[in-house]
Amino acid sequence: MSKRLGSLGWISLGCCCFFFFFSCTKKYPEQQFLQAERLHSEHRYQEEAELYELMLQHTPQGPEGPRVAFRMAEIYERFLGDKAKGLEVYASIADKWRGSPEAFAALERRAGIYEENEEYPLAVAEYEKLLDRGKSPHDKILYRVASCHLKMKEFHRARTSFFK
């Protein structure tokens, strides 16, 4: 009889540990986000980016994945001045989480970076991807495409983009 109670005790303890672990892991990403925001407010951007990379390694397919990756790309692009790394991370977001709002924002941001760097053919290609996906503000994207064509002195293409 005491053996049976012992087994039940171990089973109960195992279940408690499982539920405790599960409840902690659900809260864990939010705690990490708070820590990252603290690093951001202290202008410790490299450490913030590294924390986001760790978060992605631990939960690459989790629901926080697109949000974490997008924030990491923003840090590289806007705060660390590493546009190449930002473009790389934005591209991975657009591919990995194709239907997410972050994927559309990542494509839009990639196009914007290319346009800022006067790499208009690359910007047009990114804007075209947004148009193909169909969930972005269509008129705004067409305007950006036409604007890039104008800057490349492709007047006929610009005109057709304006009137699509």
Side-chain angles (χ1 to χ4, degrees):
M1 191 79 156
S2 64
K3 249 187 173 179
R4 188 168 179 217
L5 287 175
S7 297
L8 288 175
W10 283 108
I11 291 171
S12 299
L13 180 62
C15 288
C16 289
C17 289
F18 172 77
F19 287 116
F20 175 75
F21 176 76
F22 182 73
S23 67
C24 287
T25 56
K26 289 187 92 163
K27 295 176 187 174
Y28 190 64
E30 286 307 314
Q31 290 172 347
Q32 286 182 317
F33 275 117
L34 291 173
Q35 182 181 359
E37 288 303 314
R38 183 182 51 77
L39 291 170
H40 187 81
S41 69
E42 295 171 0
H43 306 286
R44 294 165 54 189
Y45 305 120
Q46 185 64 45
E47 292 173 58
E48 180 184 9
E50 290 168 5
L51 178 58
Y52 285 129
E53 283 190 52
L54 275 174
M55 289 171 71
L56 274 178
Q57 288 173 4
H58 286 63
T59 57
Q61 296 300 326
E64 300 87 11
R67 181 175 147 203
V68 170
F70 192 84
R71 188 67 180 132
M72 183 174 68
E74 283 182 317
I75 297 302
Y76 279 117
E77 177 211 346
R78 296 182 179 171
F79 297 100
L80 295 175
D82 190 348
K83 290 194 188 281
K85 180 71 174 179
L87 284 167
E88 178 187 321
V89 177
Y90 285 133
S92 72
I93 296 166
D95 291 337
K96 197 172 196 176
W97 294 285
R98 191 169 174 80
S100 71
E102 289 87 357
F104 295 105
L107 283 175
E108 194 168 15
R109 195 60 215 124
R110 280 177 58 85
I113 292 169
Y114 287 135
E115 194 172 351
E116 290 166 11
N117 292 337
E118 297 180 1
E119 298 177 64
Y120 302 117
L122 294 172
V124 168
E126 295 299 316
Y127 286 131
E128 294 289 339
K129 289 178 189 175
L130 281 167
L131 290 170
D132 290 343
R133 293 192 182 182
K135 290 189 180 177
S136 57
H138 193 74
D139 292 341
K140 176 184 169 190
I141 301 303
L142 285 175
Y143 175 80
R144 300 296 338 140
V145 169
S147 176
C148 288
H149 285 302
L150 280 174
K151 292 173 184 173
M152 292 187 289
K153 298 187 184 338
E154 296 176 348
F155 302 114
H156 179 69
R157 284 181 142 181
R159 185 171 177 256
T160 56
S161 292
F162 273 125
F163 296 107
K164 273 189 180 178

